[in-house]
Amino acid sequence: MTELVPGYAAAFDASAGVPYTERRHLLPDIGAARIADMDRNGITTQVLSCQNTFLPADVAPGLTKAANDTAAEAVKAYPGRFAAFATLPTAVPGAAADELRRCVRELGFVGTMIMGRTDGEFLDEPRFDPILRAASELNVPIYLHPAPPPLAVSDANYAGQLSPGVSTFFRTASWGWHQETAVHFLHLTLAGVLDRYPDLQFVLGHWGESIPFYLDRLDEALPQRLTRLDRTFREYFRDNVFITPSGMFSQAQLRYCVDTVGVDRIIHAVDFPMIGNEGAVPFLADSDLSDEDKDKIAHGNADKLLGLDRIQ
């Protein structure tokens, strides 16, 4: 990460006074300390994940297998408290597909998380089709997680006369990696991935990485007569995407997304440990949604998508 985002380590140093650092000591903990924090804040189940796409091909298969085995041990040690997304050696797509099958069929994992591009390429490139096909066949979702833009994009858009700390957060947590993830999903859609795999499900954090706020514009500027796709962007988003707040606890964004994508497509989530668990329960409890809709967002939608009701 430090090579991909200059100044990253310094910017996320807790002594610098920047956000998202207060609980970093809990990042490697997948045991008692994490469970205790969940208990204090009313969190029943947390999905463990590990990010993966920067691993080179020669070491990726072995390292991701070891990471998945470690996560599986935590899930087994705390029944009903943890579930897990598979980390995949995306630089070796065939091995990644096999690892996803192993994780789902043998370890009981509930999907995979993929962090941005691999070797500078989006997942719509033909080489990655084995991963997409495996996820579709296994009926498990892909959580498309933000990642920093490539260095050329970062240098062109997010550097200039800015200080290293400002540039780092501009290209990552505040703006850059959200735009990067939105572009990634739009690439997948425009390339026809969801026409090839019409039941494949994606999860997008941070309120869908802003895409819900542009669905009208996307359908207007990229109509089907131009894209030659089977459906409109709004239809793909409502049929193939679940969104989470990722700790962005805004009532205004919640209301807009309920109106735009529907309550059945929203899953409550905290970007732990960068965002603490403290505000999760009050945020949903204080909303003006019905109790039925709150239950769907709190756990019902995740139970259905991830099969959590079967493993708790």
Side-chain angles (χ1 to χ4, degrees), residues 3 20 42 55 78 111 118 135 174 189 195 214 228 253 304:
E3 295 178 356
Y20 317 131
L55 294 175
Y78 297 93
T118 298
S174 71
T189 304
D195 288 346
Y214 280 83
R228 305 298 182 185
Q253 289 174 310
K304 292 179 181 178

Side-chain angles (χ1 to χ4, degrees), residues 74-243:
V75 172
K76 184 178 180 180
Y78 297 93
R81 304 308 305 274
F82 291 140
F85 285 139
T87 182
L88 303 179
T90 52
V92 192
D98 290 341
E99 180 64 4
L100 181 57
R101 294 187 182 96
R102 182 184 82 93
C103 286
V104 173
R105 291 171 176 167
E106 299 179 21
L107 303 182
F109 283 20
V110 296
T112 181
M113 174 179 281
I114 296 179
M115 185 178 178
R117 308 189 202 203
T118 298
D119 300 329
E121 296 179 330
F122 293 121
L123 285 172
D124 59 279
E125 290 295 324
R127 63 180 284 217
F128 299 117
D129 190 69
I131 300 173
L132 302 173
R133 184 169 63 251
S136 177
E137 291 172 353
L138 293 165
N139 194 31
V140 294
I142 297 173
Y143 197 121
L144 201 60
H145 191 279
L151 280 177
V153 176
S154 290
D155 289 343
N157 289 357
Y158 304 113
Q161 302 304 307
L162 304 178
S163 71
V166 169
S167 177
T168 296
F169 273 90
F170 188 19
R171 71 181 73 198
T172 57
S174 71
W175 189 258
W177 65 23
H178 307 298
Q179 296 299 300
E180 176 76 5
T181 309
V183 170
H184 196 160
F185 178 77
L186 295 176
H187 251 274
L188 289 162
T189 304
L190 289 167
V193 165
L194 295 176
D195 288 346
R196 296 203 311 273
Y197 302 111
D199 296 324
L200 181 60
Q201 299 295 309
F202 285 88
V203 182
L204 297 176
H206 310 100
W207 298 116
E209 308 298 354
S210 297
I211 294 176
F213 303 92
Y214 280 83
L215 288 175
D216 289 339
R217 182 67 165 179
L218 287 165
D219 280 338
E220 176 185 64
L222 286 166
Q224 284 180 271
R225 64 179 180 274
L226 174 63
T227 65
R228 305 298 182 185
L229 296 173
D230 292 346
R231 289 172 280 164
T232 66
F233 275 101
R234 183 176 295 275
E235 289 171 328
Y236 288 116
F237 213 82
R238 293 181 69 110
D239 294 343
N240 298 92
V241 179
F242 287 81
I243 66 174

